[in-house]
Amino acid sequence: MNAAVQAVQAYWIAGGPLLGFLAAIAFCIWAYYFRSHALLRRLRQAALHALPSEAETEQWRSLARRDFGLLAAFTAAAPLVGLLGTVLGMVGTFDAVGDLFGDPSRRIAGGIRQALVTTQFGLLIAIPGVFGLARLQRLARDLETLIIRLRHEGRRS
């Protein structure tokens, strides 16, 4: 177990200072996903029991648009921050290559590793965000369809 913790710690350190920022973005992606998912499920259950008014429907649409927009922004930011880590890692690598004193091979390897770790982390964060956002948008469309259907059935009876 100790070896696994040390491996994770070494990986985290190798990723450089941007991994903390990427972790915060990951937290925001999952927080907005779970918040929006729970809201849509509650609204669906409520709509099955009592048809929401137009004002209530517009209120949840506005909330969903805001949350979906933030989720999309965080999801788009993750690979960009990862790319920034790539650039910083490569700058470190080129600095090491230009260094004529000491052991540049260790610095080169560290720069390349930082570049790859931050890129990998950014992509690993963004991919679930893309799929999560698509799922939430589908749930929102389904809820909208349900409300329209219930309103239509209510007017006929």
Side-chain angles (χ1 to χ4, degrees):
M1 175 78 168
N2 194 21
V5 171
Q6 288 176 341
V8 169
Q9 186 179 24
Y11 186 80
W12 187 268
I13 291 169
L18 290 178
L19 279 190
F21 190 60
L22 282 168
I25 290 173
F27 175 81
C28 291
I29 288 171
W30 286 104
Y32 276 104
Y33 172 79
F34 286 124
R35 173 184 150 149
S36 299
H37 190 268
L39 170 71
L40 291 172
R41 294 194 56 90
R42 277 194 317 270
L43 288 170
R44 185 179 191 289
Q45 289 301 318
L48 290 172
H49 288 70
L51 188 61
S53 68
E54 286 291 333
E56 291 170 327
T57 303
E58 188 51 42
Q59 184 180 14
W60 75 259
R61 279 186 196 130
S62 175
L63 182 63
R65 277 192 299 270
R66 186 196 74 212
D67 281 4
F68 291 3
L70 287 169
L71 180 58
F74 285 124
T75 299
L80 295 176
V81 173
L83 183 59
L84 177 59
T86 300
V87 171
L88 291 175
M90 295 312 292
V91 166
T93 300
F94 293 130
D95 283 346
V97 169
D99 187 10
L100 299 176
F101 303 104
D103 183 18
S105 62
R106 185 176 303 273
R107 289 183 56 209
I108 291 170
I112 292 171
R113 184 169 182 175
Q114 178 183 350
L116 295 175
V117 167
T118 54
T119 303
Q120 179 186 32
F121 204 74
L123 292 173
L124 286 173
I125 291 169
I127 290 168
V130 169
F131 288 109
L133 183 59
R135 174 159 169 70
L136 291 173
Q137 289 171 336
R138 192 186 84 237
L139 288 173
R141 278 193 311 272
D142 291 350
L143 178 59
E144 186 78 30
T145 302
L146 174 66
I147 290 172
I148 290 169
R149 192 184 87 227
L150 291 172
R151 283 199 176 118
H152 181 70
E153 289 173 0
R155 288 187 188 143
R156 267 198 321 199
S157 37

